Amino acid sequence: MSRIRGTLAALAALLLPLGMAAPAADAAGGAVAAPVLAPVYTHVDTEDPVLFITIDDGWGTESAAGARKLLIDRRVPASLFLLPGAYQRDMDYYRTLLAHSPARVENHTVSHRDMTTLTAAEQRAEICGARDQQLSAFGDSPQLFRPAGGQDHQWPYYNDDTRTAATACGAKAVVTWTHDLTTWGSWTPPTPELNRGDIVLLHMGPQLEGDLKRVLAAADAAGLRPARLREYAHAAR
Ligand SMILES: [Zn+2]
């Protein structure tokens, strides 16, 4: 028995640095395997006068030069939830943006599939795969994970397997959003009153510059400054 326990302890020590679920002691003192669920944020509870700007997917950079200039000039610490297939089309755009602004790239899966239709192993391949590609492309590991909307947009876009896989792949949190303020086609959503801790969702593309101007003006009017989401959304808070 003690040999088995010793083997388990050694196995746990090996698994911990890989971010895998660590065995936890139950109330009776026995060892149970407890999956570590990443926390989910649709909003951040904070006393700081901040909000969070997130930009998804990454397609359409060829018509988003103005948006990049704005992000750089205003030093916006945007969280970019990019798809490898999108940033690989225009690495110069993102490398320049990351070099000259406080923006960071976060995890949005490899292929934008609906997590709730995938097995636990498939979800893990999507999230860890995107993490690995980002690390080699940008030299920086994502710390947040945003599940993709899926084709039929049935909420929620994640389940407990997603939260476990996010932890295993190095994410500190699963992040959704408080307000989707993306202009789609000719329709611009009304700008709500923004509050501290709000997470705003935008998308890369030709509409981004206008959307950013609108959101930054609303943030200014509310006395809020953009802050970096990875520094606020994690389990310790
Ligand atoms: Zn997306």
Side-chain angles (χ1 to χ4, degrees):
M1 186 64 188
S2 64
R3 178 179 291 180
I4 293 172
R5 280 190 178 273
T7 303
L8 282 173
L11 188 60
L14 281 172
L15 294 179
L16 274 173
L18 300 174
M20 297 180 72
D26 65 14
V32 294
V36 181
L37 298 177
V40 179
Y41 288 85
T42 58
H43 173 272
V44 176
D45 285 329
T46 177
E47 294 301 310
D48 297 345
V50 296
L51 85 170
F52 307 97
I53 294 177
T54 67
I55 300 169
D56 277 17
D57 297 348
W59 310 106
T61 50
E62 62 278 3
S63 48
R68 183 173 66 181
K69 184 174 189 309
L70 185 59
L71 290 167
I72 291 172
D73 290 349
R74 292 281 304 260
R75 298 200 53 75
V76 178
S79 302
L80 313 174
F81 290 88
L82 302 181
L83 299 164
Y87 62 68
Q88 285 162 2
R89 286 163 46 107
D90 197 350
M91 285 302 301
D92 281 353
Y93 183 97
Y94 290 107
R95 287 197 171 129
T96 300
L97 176 57
L98 295 175
H100 297 283
S101 84
R104 290 291 180 272
V105 179
E106 304 291 2
N107 194 328
H108 195 40
T109 74
V110 171
S111 56
H112 213 265
R113 295 182 64 190
D114 181 344
M115 291 283 105
T116 63
T117 67
L118 303 182
T119 66
E122 289 169 335
Q123 293 194 43
R124 190 165 166 146
E126 281 280 341
I127 302 171
C128 284
R131 183 266 319 267
D132 293 346
Q133 291 194 51
Q134 283 180 34
L135 186 56
S136 69
F138 301 111
D140 182 39
S141 271
Q143 295 180 24
L144 305 174
F145 173 67
R146 173 171 281 161
Q151 290 198 323
D152 49 4
H153 288 76
Q154 294 290 318
W155 185 264
Y157 306 146
Y158 62 89
N159 54 29
D160 281 356
D161 286 343
T162 315
R163 297 173 62 189
T164 304
T167 299
C169 300
K172 295 190 295 190
V174 172
V175 175
T176 60
W177 55 89
T178 317
H179 305 291
D180 181 354
L181 300 182
T182 305
T183 294
W184 292 113
S186 60
W187 185 77
T188 296
T191 305
E193 181 182 344
L194 296 174
N195 295 297
R196 62 184 59 194
D198 283 354
I199 301 169
V200 173
L201 168 61
L202 301 175
H203 285 78
M204 182 54 68
Q207 80 295 334
L208 179 59
E209 182 180 5
D211 285 352
L212 278 170
K213 286 180 174 171
R214 190 162 45 89
V215 170
L216 290 171
D220 285 344
L224 303 173
R225 62 180 165 79
R228 191 179 283 156
L229 186 52
R230 65 167 62 173
E231 290 164 9
Y232 281 81
H234 51 76
R237 290 184 71 88

